Amino acid sequence: MDDTDRGILALLGADARMSLATLARRLKVARSTIQARLERLETTGVIAGYTLKLGEAARQGRLRATVMLSIEPRAQAGILTRLKAIPEVERVFTCAGRFDLLLQIAAPNTQALDQALDQISAMTGVQGSESLVHLSTRIDRAV
């Protein structure tokens, strides 16, 4: 990746709907160059897709939480399979440190959140969990 590729990613990170012509103008390269670069970035997996990022107004009806799990050795595959079946689980990350998995979950209300947390903590192989309920977003730079 060179400066042009990084420029494309930065501009698309700010506005994924930016046209090829606008990208070319801003980066001072030909439109065909942008097209070829985007195709290469997609083919090599640097760009995995284009998505919609919801604003705070759309997220207001969702209660969000981070759940940190300690799991038994060699239990991760089974736990991941069961987590996929829980619709409130949005993302799962492996991590180093005191916990083995970090989950981002969202639910429409406290009852649904509580039920999801109960399901997660009752899974075979889960040794312990800690949950943090999100109150408000102060900084969001995620692309």
Side-chain angles (χ1 to χ4, degrees):
M1 264 196 352
D2 62 11
D3 288 342
T4 301
D5 291 337
R6 283 188 280 281
I8 290 169
L9 295 176
L11 289 170
L12 289 176
D15 179 6
R17 294 175 15 155
M18 191 173 293
S19 71
L20 294 176
T22 302
L23 286 168
R25 251 191 331 274
R26 295 221 179 137
L27 295 172
K28 297 181 171 93
V29 296
R31 184 185 177 283
S32 59
T33 300
I34 296 295
Q35 179 69 42
R37 296 288 185 117
L38 278 175
E39 287 174 10
R40 184 177 44 77
L41 291 169
E42 291 168 359
T43 302
T44 59
V46 173
I47 294 177
Y50 301 87
T51 186
L52 172 70
K53 182 178 175 183
L54 297 176
E56 197 64 36
R59 290 185 275 177
Q60 284 180 344
R62 310 273 297 158
L63 186 57
R64 304 179 79 71
T66 297
V67 180
M68 297 164 289
L69 296 181
S70 296
I71 61 174
E72 294 174 3
R74 295 181 293 283
Q76 183 173 320
I79 289 172
L80 288 173
T81 298
R82 291 189 295 279
L83 288 172
K84 287 178 186 176
I86 300 173
E88 290 82 7
V89 176
E90 294 183 327
R91 290 189 174 118
V92 178
F93 303 93
T94 57
C95 52
R98 203 172 69 167
F99 297 99
D100 303 298
L101 296 176
L102 185 139
L103 288 57
Q104 289 183 351
I105 62 175
N109 53 50
T110 55
Q111 181 182 2
L113 177 62
D114 193 39
Q115 186 176 29
L117 293 174
D118 286 346
Q119 275 184 281
I120 292 165
S121 63
M123 287 180 181
T124 303
V126 172
Q127 293 179 319
S129 67
E130 188 172 325
S131 303
L132 304 166
V133 176
H134 301 193
L135 300 177
S136 63
T137 302
R138 302 300 174 129
I139 299 171
D140 184 359
R141 293 190 183 120
V143 176

